[in-house]
Every structure is written in C-alpha cells, then in structure tokens.
Amino acid sequence: MDRALEIDVTTQLLDLMASPSMAVGDEMTELPVAVYTDPDRFAREQQHLFAGLPLLAGLSGELPAPGDWKLFEPPGTSLLLVRGDDGVVRGFRNACRHRGAPVVEEPSGSNRSFTCPYHSWTYNRSGELVGVPQAETFPGLCRETRGLAAVSVTERAGTLWVLPTSQGEPFDLDTHLGPFDAELRRWNLGDLHYFDRRVHRIAANWKLAVDTFTEGYHIPNLHQNTINMFAANGLLLANSFGRHHRQAVAMRCLTDSTEGPTETWTGFDDGGIGFVYLIFPNTILLFFGDHAELFQVFPDGIDRSVTVQSLYSYDPIETEDQRIILETALDFFHEIVAMQDYRMAAGVQRLIASGANETYLLGQCEAITQSLHRDWAAATG
C-alpha cells in the first residue's frame, strides 16, 4: 500500500487508541424511516443513482485476458463486460438482437465467441454478429446493425466503471470521482487477482445494507465475538473525498507493529489496520493485509437487496494452500455480514411497519452514515 498513507494513518490511530473516542463528526441528526419505504423516493433512486451515475462494475483482475467476461447486473438490466482481443474492455447489453434472450446466463467465464442459447445467433468478442443459423430465412439482414447493443465502459487504474444508460459514448468519470481518483490510485488496484464471490440476498432496503458498513459504533456490540476479537472496539478515522469516504479501522495488534522507529512500522501488512471505502452510491471496498473485498449493493425491490461480495488477492493465486486461505477469509467475512450485519438490517426493515419509530437518530459516531444519506437525497431530488 501507499507508505505515506500507512504512516499517517498509523500515527493518528495510535493517538486515538491512547485517547479513545468514537466521534468522527460534530453533528447529531434524525433520519426519517420513510427513506427506506417511500416508493417515490425508491423510483428516483433507480433513475438517478443506479441508471444515471457511473457505477463501479468490478476490478480489472476479474478480466485479465482476452475473452474473459463477466455479467454486471444493476437494477433492471443485464450487462456483459468482455475484454477484447485488443485488450480493451467493452460493455454490451446481455440481450440477443434476434429475440432478446440472454446471451450468457452464468456470472463469468472466458469465450472466443458468444452464442445465444435460444437460436444460436453468435457474436464475437467485439459484440459483432458473426453467425446466424439458416441465414437465408432472414433476407436482407444487415449484420452490421445487429451486433450486441453497446454500453459505455471505462477502465482506469485497475477499476471498471459502467454508465448503465449509455450507448457506448464516453462519460464523465472525472467529475464523479473528483479527489477520490487520486485516493484509489494509492492502492495499485491493477495488481489484484480475482479469487471468487458470494451473493447475499436480504429482505432489507439497499440503503440499510450499505448503512452497516458506515460506522464502527456497532463493532463492540454486534461483533463482540467475531470482528471485535481483532478490532480495537470500533475505533476508526473517517475521511471524505466529495461523496466518497474512507474509514481506517484500528486493530488491537497495531501497537505490536509500531514499537520501533517510524520507518520500521508495518501496521497494515501485519493486520493492524483495515481500510473500508464507501464508493458512491452503492459500493464498499475493503482492504486488509494481502487481500481486498468488494461489496456491490443493489436494490431488488423497495424492501429487498442483493449484495455481490468478491475477494481479490495481491499475490498470484497459484497453489491449493493459497486457495484454501482465501476461501476461508471469504467465507469468514461472508458469514459475519450475513448472520450479523444483514440480520440486523432485515430486522430493522421488518419492524419499520410496526410504527415504533418515525425517525432514527444518527450520532457523532455515525457521521459517514449521515453524509451518505444527505448525498443520496441530494442526488435523487
């Protein structure tokens, strides 16, 4: 990781551990419970957040070689991302141009071409229509205009971004990222190797799912027998980069990695710091030691959501021992999120209908939660 960032964050976390405080902001605010249930609000979120903004579709390590592909499925659509023979990642709507069937149905793979399972219309890695069975029954068919419908993709510094409503034209990623662009580049994301993914499906509004990643206040309580066995009671630093945010979470072992001079500190490599990024509007990127995890949260109805959890390794994945270690790490955090964080999110959603609360209270320890809700509201009008 970026050495200057590691030293700066380590110094601040050591000070925080010496004088503990959960506060990461100055305000307390009330949040109407209707943000999780209002159908008009939900419709605006679909339009302005999940259709109108660039979304982080994954990391470059998912598509390392020509022919590698993945599905990216924000609300209401299915998009096929493919690395072409020229090394460029392109995006297409995953709908055959004959009768609209999905061209691929698995989450990822590697292909020389793509054949629709319905009638075997075939497309190459550039989305061009190259095969039509019984082509003579389609007189006058213009293959050049029947390629897969394009959607815009930008690959930058190891990340893949998609604008779901686009048609292949360039989009403004610079404005969306702002100062966060430089922060992402600290992590050499292009060096990460994709391992595997898990999927969470929960009965909770998508914002409740994201909320669980936005503060450390719950760690000593909800995670007392899991994460808090390693974490320093939820103590963290919070920094904002426009609408994107960083949390640096202190682990109990941080002091063991900082006993010598500053230049010898190895807090991050030794597991003394965890970094959690909130990437607007719906993504969480977590760094811990030798791996990273990506959480992409999508609505699946007003009171349901889907989270795709993916794990990446900085080291090439070459041995069975490595795979066992990475699978253990992925399953460990998947179970914590599913059985603890998302269990609470679903419980909150279920009890909204009881009428017990008209508002929820967000304290100084939940400043990033406050910021995200303000930005979601501002972006949706």
Side-chain angles (χ1 to χ4, degrees):
M1 68 165 297
D2 184 285
R3 185 63 174 161
L5 175 63
E6 181 179 19
I7 296 300
D8 179 50
V9 166
T10 299
T11 302
Q12 293 185 63
L13 285 176
L14 289 173
D15 291 342
L16 183 61
M17 294 171 76
S19 301
S21 172
M22 295 297 296
V24 292
D26 301 320
E27 299 179 2
M28 183 174 68
T29 188
E30 290 187 74
L31 181 70
V33 301
V35 302
Y36 302 113
T37 60
D38 179 49
D40 292 335
R41 166 73 177 263
F42 180 70
R44 295 196 304 273
E45 291 170 352
Q46 299 274 84
Q47 177 184 357
H48 295 290
L49 299 182
F50 290 96
L53 286 178
L55 301 178
L56 182 59
L59 303 185
S60 297
E62 287 188 72
L63 308 176
D68 290 345
W69 60 269
K70 65 167 288 185
L71 282 183
F72 178 60
E73 299 189 297
T77 192
S78 177
L79 306 177
L80 172 63
L81 308 186
V82 186
R83 191 172 297 281
D85 295 328
D86 56 1
V88 175
V89 176
R90 295 177 176 85
F92 309 100
R93 303 200 180 279
N94 181 33
C96 182
R97 298 299 307 284
H98 171 218
R99 297 265 296 277
V103 177
V104 297
E105 298 177 288
E106 297 300 316
S108 62
S110 185
N111 288 49
R112 296 189 64 85
S113 60
F114 300 90
T115 298
C116 176
Y118 198 0
H119 299 95
S120 292
W121 281 36
T122 300
Y123 306 86
N124 65 17
R125 293 170 175 175
S126 296
E128 299 165 329
L129 179 61
V130 295
V132 177
Q134 290 81 51
E136 69 278 4
T137 66
F138 295 87
L141 171 66
C142 180
R143 296 191 182 200
E144 288 75 14
T145 62
R146 282 285 167 173
L148 294 175
V151 66
S152 304
V153 178
T154 295
E155 183 171 22
R156 177 182 295 185
T159 57
L160 301 170
W161 299 85
V162 170
L163 184 61
T165 54
S166 62
Q167 298 179 352
E169 73 281 3
F171 59 88
D172 185 5
L173 184 57
D174 291 336
T175 298
H176 179 64
L177 291 179
F180 190 59
D181 186 22
E183 180 68 16
L184 276 179
R185 293 178 186 273
R186 291 177 181 267
W187 290 95
N188 299 320
L189 297 175
D191 295 340
L192 284 165
H193 304 268
Y194 176 72
F195 174 64
D196 203 354
R197 72 174 202 162
R198 302 288 185 268
V199 178
H200 304 261
R201 300 183 185 276
I202 64 170
N205 181 272
W206 71 275
K207 295 185 297 299
L208 281 170
V210 174
D211 287 346
T212 65
F213 294 92
T214 62
E215 39 84 9
Y217 184 42
H218 70 287
I219 290 178
N221 310 293
L222 183 61
H223 300 313
Q224 59 180 312
N225 295 318
T226 53
I227 294 174
N228 204 51
M229 297 177 67
F230 313 101
N233 291 315
L235 294 174
L236 58 82
L237 306 173
N239 297 89
S240 297
F241 307 84
R243 297 187 294 188
H244 315 282
H245 307 275
R246 181 185 73 208
Q247 297 172 108
V249 184
M251 302 295 159
R252 298 177 188 272
C253 65
L254 180 60
T255 53
D256 299 333
S257 304
T258 54
E259 294 179 347
T262 301
E263 59 269 19
T264 68
W265 288 359
T266 54
F268 179 72
D269 287 343
D270 291 345
I273 309 170
F275 286 88
V276 181
Y277 287 90
L278 285 303
I279 303 174
F280 194 82
N282 69 318
T283 302
I284 299 93
L285 180 58
L286 180 152
F287 295 94
F288 190 78
D290 60 355
H291 72 275
E293 295 196 46
L294 185 71
F295 295 80
Q296 298 161 291
V297 183
F298 303 104
D300 185 30
I302 194 169
D303 57 358
R304 301 182 306 279
S305 60
V306 175
T307 300
V308 180
Q309 175 186 349
S310 304
L311 186 142
Y312 303 79
S313 170
Y314 272 108
D315 296 321
I317 306 167
E318 299 171 338
T319 70
E320 186 61 25
D321 285 346
Q322 286 177 295
R323 293 184 180 91
I324 291 172
I325 292 171
L326 293 172
E327 186 163 15
T328 300
L330 178 58
D331 287 341
F332 173 73
F333 207 57
H334 175 266
E335 184 173 355
I336 290 172
V337 171
M339 301 305 296
Q340 297 182 349
D341 297 280
Y342 281 1
R343 176 171 59 89
M344 289 295 102
V348 171
Q349 185 74 52
R350 177 171 54 85
L351 292 174
I352 287 176
S354 73
N357 292 286
E358 293 184 358
T359 64
Y360 298 137
L361 194 61
L362 301 176
Q364 295 175 337
C365 52
E366 296 156 319
I368 289 181
T369 321
Q370 297 178 35
S371 292
L372 277 172
H373 277 276
R374 283 195 298 267
D375 289 336
W376 285 328
T380 54

